[in-house]
Amino acid sequence: MSAPVAVPPAEPEPESDVRKDHINKIVLSDEVQRAIEQVLQSSDPLDHPDFDPTDYVNQLFPNEQSLSNIDDVITKMEVDIGLIDDNIRSVVRGQVNTGENGRIALREAQQSITQLFGLITDIKSRAEQTEDMVKEITRDIKQLDSAKNNLTYAITTLNHLHMLVGGVENLKRLAERRQYGEVLNPLQAIIEVNQHFQQYSEIPQIQTLSSQVQQIQTELATQITEDFRHFFAPSAGGGQGRMTITQLKDACQVVSVLDKPVKRNILKWYINLQLQEYIQLFHENQDIAWLDKIDKRYAWVKRHLLDFEEKFGAIFPQDWEISERITVQFCAITREELTKIMARRRTEMDVKLLLFAIQKTANFEQLLDKRFQGSTLTEMKTSAGGGEGSEDQKQPTFIDLIGQCFKAYLDIYTDSIDRSLAELIGQFVQQTPQQLLPKDGASVFPNCAELFVFYKKCMVQCTQLSNEKPMYDLTLIFKRYLREYSSKVLEARIPKLQSSSSGGSSTASSISNSMSLLTKDFQNLSTAAGQVIHNFLKEGEAPRFSIDDIRKICFVLATAEYCLETVQQLEDKLKEKIDKSYANRVDLSEEKDVFHRIISNCIGLLVQDLDTGCEQSLNLMTKISWHNISNVGDQSGFVNQIVTNLKQSVPVIRDNLATSRKYYTQFCHKFVNSFIPKYINTLYRLRPTTSTVGSSSMTTSASSSSIAEGAGTGTNSANASANPGGNILGCEQLLLDTHSLKTVLMDLPSIGSQVQRKPPASYTKVVVKGMAKAEMIIKVVMQPIYPATLYIEQYLKLLPESHVTEFHKILEMKSVRKIEQQQLVELYKRACPQQQQQGTGAGQHDGGGGGGDAAPLSQSQQAAASAAAAISGAGSSIIALGDSLMDKGRIKKIESLIKNRLPN
């Protein structure tokens, strides 16, 4: 509870009372205050530690009207003060006897402590007395226990000594009689007892007995060894005193008790004895030792093991693993002998013999791995100096115990694979078209599957032989013949365009070869440049692929795609199978790039062939007198020709690329990216409008300002209102034809198909953007050029991304005279200085001859488009020159000159 708050009395108190209240004021810490609040929870603001009298009074009397009940508040507070005083008095009275009660409790506590201390002292003294009594009682017991232990140890030692003395004599007698079955148990006991007496070796008698035990062991080892020699090699000892099988079995048990070198020496001698016949029979000078009879080696050891186990298997303990030891030694000898004989007769080895030997050896090793546990292999590694590393912790196996000797000669195998693949590729090259073409509706050459099936067999076989360097060598062979297949089979089967049989066949062939070389690296450039060059130079129809040729190209493309996917799987499998040290060196990226290049080349040829068919229609388009068209009807004949060409070629390509949809879509992309710029360049060469009278009057203007102002005054104004743009029916017909072409191109991926599919969004975007540019060009040509400011304003709205070079071309399409063109260009440059800078740059690059199509292109097409524009502009200039001179002979001379300068 917080300290009571003093209420100001009605009258001031004396100064002494104030000081007294100040001195008796209780100030509690925050921690004590929080503890009081937890015990005495109260919501009264008077109990709050941060009580503020002023705030409290303001809460009670917030305004003057509230002072009316001040008497009630004072009365209530007086009652509260009275209650608090009563509580204080009760507490004070209750604490009067507290001091006396505390003193009484303290005295009682002191008395209890004194009694407790006395009890502890008494217990301690009793414990000391008890301990003395226990020591007195157990003193005699300890002496008796120590005497007992000493006596027991002495009796045991005497018994051991008796056993040792009696056993030595008994062992000598039993050993002389070769009673090995009775020797075993005493020998084990004597050896253990002798180990017990090693701590008393300084005693002469004990030392003598220990020497006798060692001598007995040595004599037994020598005697048993001789017994084995006499039994298994009677010629060595004359055959006298030969042991029985039972005695030899007991002797083996005795040997197991003797030192380990005794057992090891007997085993070594016996195993060598068992394999003497094998060493002599299969000596390297014997014909039977060569690889073609390697299976006879394994047949011999199988028969020998069966014979041994039948006759002598019961002699040796099972834990000696005699059969396994003989087999391991056989494998070691065979490996060494094969290594020597193969090194000497390497020239006689071929892959068939090598694989025969490896297969027979692998089968034999697998048989041994199933028959034996391989415990002796671990002993062999340990005795050879092998550590206890991680490799030694693996399960021992017979695999490659003999076969590792063949690994140094696996280059014979890889060389054979090399020759086999060379023969296989040669067979593929010599296949007739009937053998090469896909069957059963497939679109991939059958020999492609044959090649990869052969690869798979070789990889599986090599994995069984070795997954280290031989497999890496095999990978390099695979890489080389993948390139051979791509060049000699796929690329060689791509049809070549045949020149026409007309008089200019050699020239056309030369041009075709030159363009084909240009196509390899500059496909986009050849798209624009090739159309102009063919327009001037060809003397007859350009050669095209037949339907069968198109199918062959599609087959090559689909086969290259199959190879590309399979090569990736082959690379992943090789990395999985090959040893980790070679995995990072397996890389078939170059071979995948080769197949990528073949696919791109095939798509380029298909696009080029389709372009060639469209070029004839575009040439027909340039021969139409567009400015003389009197009415607008159906689509023009050149559009019909283009549609017919597309319906003849595209369905064939689509059907034969049914399994390569992504590359068919890529073909459609490339075609429209090639055709649309050609179509726009052809538009630039047309003259679809006639010159107006107003235009003729404009030639009298002396400045560009007169052009801008001439539209509103004099004769020009009257002529403009009479015929503002000349004959624009040709433009209207072109606009109709352009829209028809746009519709055809939009449906190109599904043209001629019963199943209509929506073209990809990216393809639709290219068509819409390119053909919209063509439509805008025609609409600009339809506009009258006066007033000039209005024309330029309209031009910039329709072709906002145009430049000066394109402006020149459109003025040429409108048949505007050169002087008027210069004046309009000046106005154009002032209207768009930024476009003027771009146009100037293009003009410098083009050598002043005009640029190409200025339609917005992707970054990858900008360089090719600018080069194509230069060639197209040059063509336009030549045509304009021909129209002005009207000299057909001069044009022929120019064509001949250009032909002579082309590479033959």
Side-chain angles (χ1 to χ4, degrees):
M1 179 182 295
S2 60
V5 179
V7 179
E11 295 180 359
E13 296 181 356
E15 182 178 356
S16 58
D17 295 337
V18 174
R19 185 181 301 110
K20 183 177 179 181
D21 292 340
H22 176 72
I23 293 173
N24 294 333
K25 184 178 180 179
I26 300 174
V27 179
L28 303 176
S29 64
D30 294 340
E31 185 177 358
V32 174
Q33 187 66 41
R34 285 194 296 270
I36 293 174
E37 290 175 356
Q38 291 178 359
V39 176
L40 304 175
Q41 298 181 358
S42 174
S43 60
D44 192 346
L46 293 174
D47 294 333
H48 199 275
D50 298 331
F51 174 73
D52 188 350
T54 303
D55 291 341
Y56 183 69
V57 171
N58 290 333
Q59 291 177 3
L60 293 176
F61 307 105
N63 47 42
E64 294 181 359
Q65 289 76 9
S66 61
L67 294 174
S68 60
N69 60 352
I70 188 173
D71 295 334
D72 297 336
V73 174
I74 293 174
T75 302
K76 180 177 178 300
M77 287 192 173
E78 289 177 349
V79 172
D80 293 340
I81 291 170
L83 292 175
I84 292 172
D85 290 341
D86 292 341
N87 291 334
I88 292 173
R89 282 194 294 271
S90 298
V91 172
V92 171
R93 289 171 182 171
Q95 297 297 325
V96 171
N97 298 325
T98 301
E100 184 62 26
N101 293 336
R103 285 190 291 273
I104 294 172
L106 179 61
R107 285 195 297 270
E108 291 177 354
Q110 290 175 348
Q111 292 176 359
S112 298
I113 290 171
T114 302
Q115 293 176 1
L116 179 62
F117 180 76
L119 291 174
I120 292 172
T121 303
D122 184 49
I123 291 171
K124 182 178 179 181
S125 61
R126 290 182 180 182
E128 291 176 352
Q129 293 175 3
T130 303
E131 183 179 4
D132 294 338
M133 292 174 62
V134 169
K135 288 180 179 181
E136 186 67 24
I137 293 171
T138 59
R139 181 180 296 112
D140 296 336
I141 296 176
K142 286 183 178 180
Q143 291 178 355
L144 293 173
D145 185 61
S146 177
K148 178 186 175 182
N149 291 335
N150 293 334
L151 182 60
T152 302
Y153 185 77
I155 294 172
T156 302
T157 303
L158 288 174
N159 287 334
H160 287 169
L161 183 59
H162 176 72
M163 290 173 57
L164 184 60
V165 174
V168 167
E169 296 297 330
N170 188 28
L171 276 178
K172 287 181 180 180
R173 185 173 60 257
L174 293 175
E176 290 175 357
R177 297 176 183 177
R178 285 180 168 79
Q179 296 177 349
Y180 298 124
E182 300 178 8
V183 166
L184 180 61
N185 292 331
L187 178 62
Q188 290 178 327
I190 288 175
I191 291 176
E192 293 178 2
V193 170
N194 189 40
Q195 292 292 333
H196 173 75
F197 281 107
Q198 290 300 317
Q199 56 184 329
Y200 306 111
S201 58
E202 68 277 1
I203 301 175
Q205 291 80 1
I206 299 298
Q207 188 175 5
T208 301
L209 288 173
S210 179
S211 300
Q212 290 178 0
V213 172
Q214 292 294 335
Q215 184 179 359
I216 291 173
Q217 294 184 52
T218 304
E219 291 175 355
L220 279 173
T222 304
Q223 182 174 304
I224 292 174
T225 301
E226 292 297 327
D227 290 341
F228 268 91
R229 292 180 183 272
H230 291 161
F231 183 85
F232 291 103
S235 60
Q240 298 178 357
R242 188 172 182 183
M243 303 284 292
T244 63
I245 291 180
T246 304
Q247 287 178 311
L248 286 178
K249 185 176 181 181
D250 295 336
C252 289
Q253 298 293 338
V254 173
V255 170
S256 298
V257 177
L258 297 176
D259 294 338
K260 291 182 178 180
V262 178
K263 173 184 174 182
R264 187 163 54 245
N265 293 333
I266 291 176
L267 288 175
K268 182 178 180 181
W269 171 84
Y270 181 73
I271 292 172
N272 290 334
L273 177 66
Q274 294 296 311
L275 296 175
Q276 278 182 359
E277 179 186 353
Y278 171 73
I279 295 173
Q280 295 175 0
L281 184 62
F282 292 90
H283 191 268
E284 59 179 323
N285 295 327
Q286 302 295 328
D287 292 338
I288 199 175
W290 187 226
L291 297 180
D292 58 344
K293 298 180 179 61
I294 194 170
D295 53 334
K296 296 186 180 298
R297 294 176 178 266
Y298 307 137
W300 180 92
V301 75
K302 291 176 186 177
R303 290 194 306 270
H304 187 77
L305 287 176
L306 290 174
D307 184 63
F308 159 76
E309 290 176 355
E310 181 180 354
K311 292 182 179 180
F312 309 116
I315 295 178
F316 300 95
Q318 188 174 359
D319 61 340
W320 281 26
E321 298 287 353
I322 294 295
S323 296
E324 182 177 335
R325 293 179 185 276
I326 293 174
T327 305
V328 171
Q329 185 65 18
F330 167 82
C331 292
I333 294 173
T334 303
R335 182 177 63 250
E336 294 175 1
E337 292 296 322
L338 289 177
T339 301
K340 290 190 294 183
I341 196 171
M342 285 191 295
R344 186 166 59 88
R345 303 174 62 177
R346 181 184 177 92
T347 56
E348 302 178 30
M349 296 173 61
D350 58 15
V351 65
K352 185 177 181 181
L353 181 62
L354 179 64
L355 292 180
F356 170 78
I358 292 176
Q359 186 62 44
K360 293 296 182 180
T361 302
N363 294 339
F364 177 69
E365 290 173 343
Q366 291 175 2
L367 178 64
L368 297 182
D369 218 32
K370 295 177 181 178
R371 170 65 176 81
F372 301 113
Q373 297 180 354
S375 57
T376 58
L377 292 174
T378 306
E379 293 181 11
M380 184 178 66
K381 290 181 180 180
T382 305
S383 62
E388 299 295 331
S390 58
E391 294 184 358
D392 294 330
Q393 300 300 324
K394 297 180 181 179
Q395 182 69 23
T397 176
F398 283 86
I399 303 301
D400 273 349
L401 194 60
I402 301 175
Q404 60 182 322
C405 67
F406 297 113
K407 291 185 177 181
Y409 302 93
L410 288 179
D411 57 325
I412 298 175
Y413 167 75
T414 54
D415 292 343
S416 172
I417 297 299
D418 195 340
R419 291 191 297 271
S420 298
L421 281 172
E423 294 176 1
L424 189 62
I425 296 296
Q427 294 175 7
F428 294 163
V429 172
Q430 295 176 1
Q431 285 180 336
T432 62
Q434 291 75 16
Q435 296 173 327
L436 187 66
L437 292 180
K439 300 177 182 178
D440 301 330
S443 58
V444 179
F445 290 161
N447 56 27
C448 177
E450 294 179 22
L451 177 66
F452 284 106
V453 167
F454 185 82
Y455 273 18
K456 181 180 179 181
K457 291 180 179 178
C458 293
M459 184 173 62
V460 171
Q461 191 176 47
C462 189
T463 303
Q464 297 173 353
L465 301 178
S466 174
N467 67 338
E468 297 178 351
K469 188 177 184 301
M471 180 163 282
Y472 178 69
D473 294 338
L474 188 66
T475 302
L476 298 180
I477 295 173
F478 285 172
K479 287 165 61 70
R480 184 166 71 255
Y481 284 100
L482 283 173
R483 294 192 293 269
E484 290 275 338
Y485 180 82
S486 63
S487 62
K488 294 183 179 181
V489 179
L490 294 185
E491 291 181 341
R493 300 290 178 170
I494 297 176
K496 305 295 188 298
L497 285 174
Q498 300 295 329
S499 60
S500 62
S501 57
S502 61
S505 61
S506 60
T507 304
S509 175
S510 173
I511 294 171
S512 176
N513 292 336
S514 302
M515 293 304 297
S516 118
L517 291 174
L518 193 62
T519 304
K520 283 189 178 180
D521 298 323
F522 304 98
Q523 292 180 5
N524 292 331
L525 175 61
S526 64
T527 300
Q531 194 265 343
V532 176
I533 293 175
H534 279 293
N535 284 343
F536 288 107
L537 303 184
K538 67 181 179 180
E539 301 176 1
E541 292 187 357
R544 292 193 63 188
F545 291 118
S546 64
I547 297 299
D548 289 338
D549 290 339
I550 291 177
R551 288 196 183 100
K552 290 178 182 178
I553 294 174
C554 293
F555 293 155
V556 171
L557 190 152
T559 304
E561 181 189 14
Y562 173 80
C563 291
L564 184 63
E565 296 173 354
T566 312
V567 166
Q568 181 61 54
Q569 298 173 7
L570 176 65
E571 181 179 8
D572 296 339
K573 206 66 179 177
L574 286 170
K575 289 183 177 179
E576 176 186 342
K577 297 294 184 181
I578 203 168
D579 188 76
K580 293 181 180 179
S581 60
Y582 291 92
N584 294 332
R585 299 166 64 179
V586 176
D587 183 13
L588 302 183
S589 58
E590 295 180 0
E591 288 66 36
K592 290 184 284 188
D593 292 341
V594 169
F595 292 113
H596 272 300
R597 187 180 70 246
I598 292 176
I599 293 172
S600 299
N601 188 24
C602 290
I603 294 175
L605 290 175
L606 294 174
V607 171
Q608 181 185 357
D609 180 74
L610 200 57
D611 272 344
T612 303
C614 294
E615 284 178 4
Q616 300 175 10
S617 304
L618 295 179
N619 287 337
L620 177 62
M621 180 181 175
T622 61
K623 296 178 182 179
I624 299 175
S625 300
W626 296 96
H627 57 280
N628 293 329
I629 291 179
S630 58
N631 60 353
V632 179
D634 293 334
Q635 62 188 23
S636 301
F638 80 92
V639 177
N640 294 330
Q641 287 186 1
I642 290 176
V643 174
T644 301
N645 176 40
L646 296 179
K647 287 185 177 180
Q648 288 176 350
S649 300
V650 174
V652 177
I653 297 172
R654 181 181 60 246
D655 294 342
N656 288 280
L657 292 181
T659 59
S660 305
R661 294 296 303 176
K662 64 178 180 180
Y663 292 116
Y664 172 70
T665 304
Q666 187 176 345
F667 157 75
C668 295
H669 270 277
K670 288 192 175 182
F671 171 71
V672 296
N673 281 325
S674 171
F675 173 77
I676 293 176
K678 286 185 178 181
Y679 180 73
I680 292 175
N681 287 334
T682 305
L683 286 179
Y684 288 143
R685 297 169 55 193
L686 303 181
R687 302 294 179 265
T689 62
T690 58
S691 301
T692 64
V693 178
S695 298
S696 300
S697 301
M698 286 169 60
T699 58
T700 60
S701 300
S703 65
S704 60
S705 60
S706 64
I707 295 178
E709 297 169 358
T713 61
T715 307
N716 289 346
S717 178
N719 291 333
S721 55
N723 189 8
N727 182 10
I728 62 172
L729 293 179
C731 292
E732 293 178 355
Q733 182 64 45
L734 276 175
L735 198 59
L736 174 64
D737 295 338
T738 302
H739 181 74
S740 300
L741 279 176
K742 177 181 177 182
T743 304
V744 172
L745 293 177
M746 288 290 291
D747 297 334
L748 178 66
S750 300
I751 192 170
S753 175
Q754 296 179 355
V755 180
Q756 295 295 321
R757 293 183 179 180
K758 186 177 180 181
S762 58
Y763 173 82
T764 303
K765 182 178 179 181
V766 172
V767 175
V768 170
K769 187 175 182 180
M771 297 307 291
K773 173 70 178 296
E775 292 175 346
M776 293 301 105
I777 290 173
I778 298 171
K779 290 180 180 180
V780 168
V781 174
M782 294 173 65
Q783 300 295 322
I785 62 172
Y786 47 83
T789 53
L790 182 60
Y791 175 73
I792 292 174
E793 180 182 353
Q794 194 70 13
Y795 179 91
L796 292 175
K797 288 181 180 179
L798 296 176
L799 296 172
E801 299 181 1
S802 183
H803 49 75
V804 174
T805 305
E806 190 171 32
F807 187 68
H808 269 295
K809 291 185 178 185
I810 292 176
L811 293 180
E812 291 285 345
M813 292 179 67
K814 293 180 66 65
S815 301
V816 179
R817 305 182 70 173
K818 296 294 183 182
I819 297 176
E820 297 162 357
Q821 288 185 24
Q822 294 177 0
Q823 297 169 355
L824 288 169
V825 168
E826 291 298 328
L827 286 176
Y828 175 79
K829 290 180 178 180
R830 286 202 296 269
C832 52
Q834 184 177 2
Q835 302 290 344
Q836 172 190 350
Q837 295 176 5
Q838 295 181 358
T840 303
Q844 293 173 353
H845 178 71
D846 298 336
D853 175 26
L857 301 174
S858 63
Q859 282 184 332
S860 63
Q861 296 173 332
Q862 288 177 358
S866 61
I871 298 175
S872 177
S876 299
S877 300
I878 294 174
I879 290 178
L881 179 61
D883 290 341
S884 62
L885 297 176
M886 300 297 291
D887 187 357
K888 300 300 182 181
R890 181 69 60 83
I891 295 176
K892 289 291 184 180
K893 291 180 181 179
I894 293 174
E895 290 180 1
S896 300
L897 179 62
I898 295 176
K899 289 179 182 179
N900 292 333
R901 290 179 178 270
L902 286 174
N904 293 325

